[in-house]
Amino acid sequence: EVQLVESGGGLVQPGGSLRLSCAASGFNFNYFAMHWVRQAPGKGLEFVGSITTNGGSTYYADSVQGRLSISRDNPKNTLYLQMRSLRTEDTAVYYCVKGGSGTKWDLLEDWGQGTLVTVSS
Amino acid sequence: EIVLTQSPATLSLSPGERATLSCRASQSISNSLVWFQQKPGQAPRLLIYDASIRPIDIPARFSGSGSGTDFTLTISSLEPEDFAVYYCQQSYNRPPYTFGQGTRLEIK
């Protein structure tokens, strides 16, 4: 069974930094692209970014480009989201998402339960 | 950026009825359209991808159709557990992708 467990969320001041982690299990982490999607309280879904299997390519939403960065540690089966220069509008639940197989690498197939990041003074 | 517009914003129906949800793209996206279901306090769940393909664990009452700019999610006969928010998402070309604003399906 695929399990994705996010951690690292919490309260941070505007301009601050935070690093989210996602511990993956139940599948061969090395073989799947991974993604982050966020959801502001009471709002819809927003794509944050993606990382390919070996970390060689990353993709970001314009709203986070240059401030948020995705990385992965394949031997540790862990995905990361480094967040810098945080703004109040970054307040959201952040979901870790496993991609699909093969050409469906960008399919948002399996989701974690999310971790809440609150940016406030 | 490709914009997805979902309609209606809210749909009120009774169990056993047929639900039809719409998603329109601002430009042609071929069949690169995905549907998700989200229940309160839960993560989204993948329902349909490539506009009409249903993962094996999704009940047959869920179906998707459309191509180009106009897409539809149909629930043939609503079960009590189907009342939720539904999002469409385009997966055209490469990330970053965009989502629709959601349709809330509520019990009438």
Side-chain angles (χ1 to χ4, degrees):
Chain A
E1 179 191 2
V2 172
Q3 284 204 318
L4 300 165
V5 180
E6 302 93 338
S7 61
L11 176 63
V12 60
Q13 291 189 337
S17 298
L18 207 59
R19 189 178 81 159
L20 306 183
S21 300
C22 171
S25 61
F27 64 102
N28 193 328
F29 185 72
N30 298 357
Y31 288 173
F32 293 89
M34 297 294 295
H35 315 276
W36 288 98
V37 175
R38 68 184 182 183
Q39 186 169 35
K43 302 297 184 182
L45 301 170
E46 182 185 17
F47 177 88
V48 173
S50 300
I51 187 167
T52 53
T53 53
N54 62 2
S57 294
T58 52
Y59 306 88
Y60 299 98
D62 290 345
S63 59
V64 305
Q65 181 78 48
R67 300 186 302 115
L68 275 57
S69 63
I70 300 173
S71 60
R72 62 192 295 162
D73 187 333
N74 283 352
K76 293 184 177 179
N77 291 344
T78 303
L79 176 72
Y80 300 102
L81 180 64
Q82 179 68 52
M83 311 171 74
R84 298 184 176 89
S85 302
L86 283 164
R87 306 167 179 168
T88 54
E89 55 264 36
D90 294 318
T91 294
V93 173
Y94 285 75
Y95 292 103
C96 166
V97 188
K98 169 186 162 290
S101 302
T103 58
K104 295 302 176 190
W105 66 272
D106 56 351
L107 183 63
L108 304 176
E109 189 170 67
D110 295 286
W111 297 61
Q113 283 305 302
T115 187
L116 177 62
V117 172
T118 303
V119 184
S120 175
S121 54
Chain B
E1 175 183 288
I2 298 172
V3 176
L4 298 179
T5 302
Q6 291 187 241
S7 61
T10 303
L11 184 58
S12 299
L13 294 170
S14 300
E17 290 193 293
R18 182 184 187 90
T20 303
L21 287 67
S22 174
C23 179
R24 175 165 289 178
S26 59
Q27 66 183 71
S28 178
I29 57 172
S30 185
N31 68 336
S32 301
L33 198 282
V34 185
W35 290 97
F36 297 92
Q37 176 194 65
Q38 187 177 32
K39 298 179 181 179
Q42 297 185 18
R45 174 193 182 194
L46 175 66
L47 287 181
I48 300 284
Y49 66 95
D50 287 352
S52 62
I53 299 177
R54 193 178 59 246
I56 59 172
D57 61 331
I58 301 301
R61 64 181 181 274
F62 292 93
S63 64
S65 64
S67 67
T69 59
D70 291 308
F71 301 87
T72 301
L73 174 69
T74 301
I75 311 171
S76 59
S77 179
L78 285 165
E79 297 288 339
E81 62 268 27
D82 298 337
F83 292 91
V85 179
Y86 292 83
Y87 294 96
C88 59
Q89 175 235 325
Q90 60 84 12
S91 57
Y92 188 69
N93 199 1
R94 65 176 67 182
Y97 298 136
T98 49
F99 292 88
Q101 80 280 17
T103 289
R104 181 178 304 278
L105 178 56
E106 64 178 26
I107 300 176
K108 187 174 182 179

